[in-house]
Amino acid sequence: MSKFLAQLKMGFMNGMVYRGQTVVWMLASLVWIAVLPFVWLAIYGDRETIDVYNKQMIVGYFVLMPWVESMVASYIYESIHENIRDGSINQFLIKPTSYLLHYFWDETGFRVQRFSMTTLVLLCAYPLLSAYAALPTLAFVGWWIPIFLIAAILNYLVSALVGILAFWTTDGEWIKHIWWAVQTFAMGFLAPISFFPETMQTILRASPFPLMLEAPITMLLGTTTDAALAAMVAKGVMWIVILFSINVLVWRFGTRRVEGIGM
Amino acid sequence: MNRLKHHLRIYRAIVANAVSYEAQYRKDTIAKIVLNLVWLGMLFLLIEIIFTHTASFSGWSKEAVYVLMLFWAIADELDIAFFNQVSFIPDYITDGTLDGLLIKPANTIFLATINLRMKAVYRLITELIMAVGIFFVFDIPVTALGLFLGVILLVTGVMALYSLRLMLNTLAFWLYRISNINALFYMIQSLGQYPLDIYPKTARIILLTAIPVGLTGFVPALAALGNAPGWLILLSFGTSMTLFILATRFWKFAIRRYTSASS
C-alpha cells in the first residue's frame, strides 16, 4: 500500500510542478460551461422545461459537469499509448508492481489537484452562477460515494482499455479520436441522455457510458430517484466486473506482443 | 518577387515531401478519412438532436445550421492542412529545433508554421464533397456571388485562426511548457460551430474580434446564404488583417529576445 501512496504523492507533485498545464486543462473543461448552456437555452426558447429539466437545471447540469469530471475522468490512455509506442513499458513489466495500478494512483494524485482547483473556481463563481443555475441537492447524499466511485472506476477501466489497444496499432491516435467521439455523446457531455431520441436512449442506457458522467450529475441535481440510483449501482458493478475481465484478458494478450530491445 | 519565388520553391518541396510521406501510410490515411466521416456524422447527429426539440435554432433553420457547421469544419481542416505546424512552436523552443530554423535562408515564420498535411487535404476533399451533397439534398438556395463571398470569408477566417494560434504559441518563448494551450484553443474554437446569435451581445463581439472564431463558420455561412450585412463582411476582413499584423509583429518581438536553448 505504501508504494501506491508514494505514487499518489508523485502524481500530485507532478501536477504541482507543471501548474500551468493543469490550469490550461481546467480552463479547457470550463469551456463547456461557456458554450452548451447557451446552446440549450436557445433550444428551450419560450418553453420552461424539456423532459424534467427546467432552464436553471440544464444550466446547473453544465456548471456541475467540470466539477464531476475532475473527480471521475481518466486520461491514462495517453500515457499508456506513449509507453507502448516508445517501449518504455518494458521497464514497468519487469517491476514487482501492477502497471495499471501504478497509473491509477499516479492519476489520482493529479485528480486531487484538478478537483481542488475546479472546486475553488466554481466556489468563486457560484454567487454569479447561482442566479442562473440550479444548486446541487443533498437529497441523495447517501448515494454519493457509490455513484462517484463507480463512475471513477468505469472511467479508469475504459481509459485503460483504450490505452492497451495500442499494443495492436502503430498509431493510437485514431482509437483516441473514436473514444472522444463516443464519449462526447454517450457520457452526456452534450446533453442529458434523456434529451436524445428514444432509440438512442435505449442503446446508451444499456452501455456503461451514462454511468461515467451523467449519472453523478443527475444525482446531484436531484432529477433521479432512489430506485433508479440503486439500479445504476447494480448495473455499474456488473460493468466493472465485465470491463475488469476484459482489461485483464487484453493486457495478457497485449504483453505477449512486447519485445524488449537491448535488454 | 525573387523572395516570393524562393519561398514558393521551398513550399513545392514541402508538398512533394508530404505527398511521398503519406503514400507510405495509405491504410492509415484511409482510417483517418473514415474517422473524419464518423466525426462529421457526430456533428450532424447533434444538429438532428437539436432540431428534434425545436424548429428554429435562434432564428436559424436546420439547413442553415448544416451550412454553418460545414463551413466551420472546412475552416478547421484548412487550418490543420496548412498551419498545423504552429502547434509545435513550444516544442521547437524547448528542444532547440528553432535554432536550426533561424539560421536558414528563409522567413522563420514560414519555416516554423507552414506545412502540408496530406491526410487533412484528403479529409478536406471528403468534406467538400459532403458540402456539395448537403446543398443539393436540402436544396439550399445560394447564389454564385454568395458562395464566392462565403469562400473568401472562409479563407480570411482561417487566417484569423492562424494568427491567433500563432500569438498563443509565441507565448512559449516566455512560458516554455504550454503545448496543451492548443487543446484549450481547440475548445474555444468549438464556440464558433454554433450560430453566434445564441450568445449574449458581449460574447458575440468578442467572438467576432478578439477571439474571432465566429469568422470561420458564422460569417462565411451568412454570406453564402446571402444574409451577411456589409459591416460584418468589412469587420471580418479588418479583424483578420489586424490579427495577422499583430501576430507577425509579436513573433518578431519574441525572436529578437530569444536566446538559444542549445550552445
Side-chain angles (χ1 to χ4, degrees):
Chain A
M1 190 68 190
S2 60
K3 63 186 174 199
F4 296 129
L5 286 174
Q7 282 161 353
L8 188 153
K9 192 177 158 189
M10 282 295 296
F12 183 83
M13 283 165 60
N14 275 333
M16 289 303 289
V17 167
Y18 298 115
R19 289 183 298 278
Q21 284 197 342
T22 308
V23 168
V24 171
W25 283 122
M26 189 190 65
L27 289 173
S29 65
L30 290 175
V31 167
W32 285 110
I33 298 180
V35 180
L36 287 164
F38 292 112
V39 172
W40 284 101
L41 287 175
I43 294 167
Y44 270 67
D46 295 328
R47 267 181 302 185
E48 282 306 314
T49 60
I50 292 178
D51 191 46
V52 298
Y53 292 85
N54 60 29
K55 289 181 182 178
Q56 280 200 314
M57 287 166 91
I58 197 64
V59 175
Y61 180 91
F62 292 107
V63 168
L64 288 171
M65 188 180 287
W67 190 66
V68 171
E69 200 207 349
S70 69
M71 277 189 275
V72 303
S74 175
Y75 302 101
I76 58 166
Y77 54 81
E78 297 276 6
S79 305
I80 296 175
H81 270 145
E82 208 177 301
N83 288 163
I84 291 173
R85 284 179 62 194
D86 66 17
S88 56
I89 196 168
N90 293 333
Q91 59 179 297
F92 290 99
L93 295 178
I94 58 173
K95 284 191 174 135
T97 182
S98 163
Y99 173 75
L100 295 178
L101 270 181
H102 157 78
Y103 271 114
F104 176 78
W105 287 106
D106 186 63
E107 193 179 45
T108 302
F110 181 61
R111 190 177 291 158
V112 166
Q113 192 202 21
R114 207 168 67 208
F115 171 71
S116 310
M117 277 189 175
T118 310
T119 305
L120 191 62
V121 168
L122 286 178
L123 280 175
C124 293
Y126 220 88
L128 175 68
L129 293 171
S130 58
Y132 304 100
L135 289 168
T137 171
L138 295 175
F140 301 108
V141 69
W143 291 102
W144 281 23
I145 290 178
I147 291 289
F148 272 106
L149 205 55
I150 283 168
I153 295 172
L154 284 174
N155 268 283
Y156 168 75
L157 288 172
V158 173
S159 183
L161 192 58
V162 170
I164 296 168
L165 289 175
F167 279 123
W168 286 273
T169 64
T170 52
D171 176 9
E173 290 298 315
W174 64 271
I175 302 174
K176 286 192 277 185
H177 286 125
I178 286 178
W179 170 230
W180 290 335
V182 166
Q183 72 175 11
T184 301
F185 273 90
M187 282 171 60
F189 275 104
L190 289 175
I193 304 295
S194 56
F195 282 22
F196 293 174
E198 287 290 334
T199 315
M200 263 190 88
Q201 284 187 51
T202 309
I203 294 168
L204 290 176
R205 296 240 181 258
S207 74
F209 303 120
L211 300 172
M212 290 159 67
L213 181 73
E214 194 224 13
I217 299 175
T218 56
M219 177 186 65
L220 290 172
L221 286 174
T223 58
T224 183
T225 60
D226 282 306
L229 287 167
M232 284 182 208
V233 169
K235 198 162 41 168
V237 169
M238 180 194 77
W239 274 110
I240 286 172
V241 170
I242 292 171
L243 286 169
F244 180 79
S245 309
I246 294 173
N247 264 279
V248 166
L249 267 173
V250 174
W251 174 258
R252 203 169 283 167
F253 282 116
T255 48
R256 283 184 198 165
R257 296 172 61 88
V258 174
E259 292 169 359
I261 297 173
M263 301 176 86
Chain B
M1 196 64 191
N2 282 337
R3 203 164 159 76
L4 179 63
K5 278 186 188 169
H6 173 62
H7 286 89
L8 282 172
R9 264 200 305 273
I10 296 172
Y11 195 68
R12 204 163 57 220
I14 289 172
V15 169
N17 191 46
V19 170
S20 64
Y21 179 82
E22 286 302 329
Q24 300 172 67
Y25 301 104
R26 283 186 291 271
K27 282 184 190 167
D28 191 47
T29 300
I30 292 168
K32 290 272 166 64
I33 292 172
V34 168
L35 191 62
N36 191 48
L37 290 172
V38 168
W39 174 69
L40 283 170
M42 293 284 180
L43 288 180
F44 296 158
L45 185 57
L46 173 62
I47 297 173
E48 294 297 325
I49 289 171
I50 288 172
F51 282 92
T52 58
H53 294 288
T54 184
S56 167
F57 186 38
S58 251
W60 287 62
S61 66
K62 184 158 78 166
E63 297 77 19
V65 174
Y66 266 106
V67 171
L68 187 155
M69 207 63 101
L70 275 164
F71 267 105
W72 177 84
I74 290 169
D76 181 50
E77 211 65 74
L78 280 169
D79 186 44
I80 293 171
F82 295 102
F83 307 122
N84 192 56
Q85 205 84 333
V86 175
S87 310
F88 295 102
I89 290 174
D91 296 328
Y92 290 163
I93 293 167
T94 52
D95 66 18
T97 309
L98 185 64
D99 299 2
L101 298 180
L102 284 170
I103 59 173
K104 285 192 164 67
N107 183 282
T108 318
I109 294 180
F110 176 84
L111 291 176
T113 65
I114 311 287
N115 204 332
L116 183 69
R117 282 176 70 110
M118 283 309 297
K119 285 193 190 75
V121 172
Y122 298 138
R123 291 196 305 257
L124 189 61
I125 293 169
T126 56
E127 281 163 15
L128 288 170
I129 293 170
M130 198 170 281
V132 170
I134 293 283
F135 273 96
F136 274 108
V137 163
F138 286 117
D139 195 24
I140 298 171
V142 286
T143 61
L145 177 65
L147 208 52
F148 176 73
L149 200 51
V151 169
I152 298 293
L153 287 166
L154 178 75
V155 172
T156 57
V158 173
M159 288 312 299
L161 269 189
Y162 163 77
S163 306
L164 190 57
R165 223 147 53 90
L166 179 59
M167 280 196 277
L168 285 174
N169 282 277
T170 304
L171 291 170
F173 280 94
W174 291 274
L175 301 176
Y176 303 115
R177 284 188 177 271
I178 55 161
S179 50
N180 63 345
I181 203 160
N182 293 293
L184 174 62
F185 181 78
Y186 189 75
M187 294 298 284
I188 293 172
Q189 203 183 325
S190 69
L191 295 169
Q193 69 184 91
Y194 306 103
L196 295 195
D197 307 281
I198 68 173
Y199 302 116
K201 190 175 175 185
T202 312
R204 286 203 298 270
I205 293 170
I206 292 170
L207 294 176
L208 286 171
T209 53
I211 308 174
V213 295
L215 302 187
T216 56
F218 178 72
V219 176
L222 276 180
L225 295 167
N227 296 329
W231 66 265
L232 191 57
I233 295 170
L234 288 172
L235 176 70
S236 181
F237 285 124
T239 304
S240 297
M241 208 173 337
T242 306
L243 279 174
F244 184 72
I245 292 169
L246 285 173
T248 50
R249 289 216 168 147
F250 187 39
W251 172 267
K252 286 174 185 168
F253 173 79
I255 288 289
R256 277 199 295 273
R257 278 148 184 79
Y258 174 66
T259 54
S260 171
S262 62
S263 58

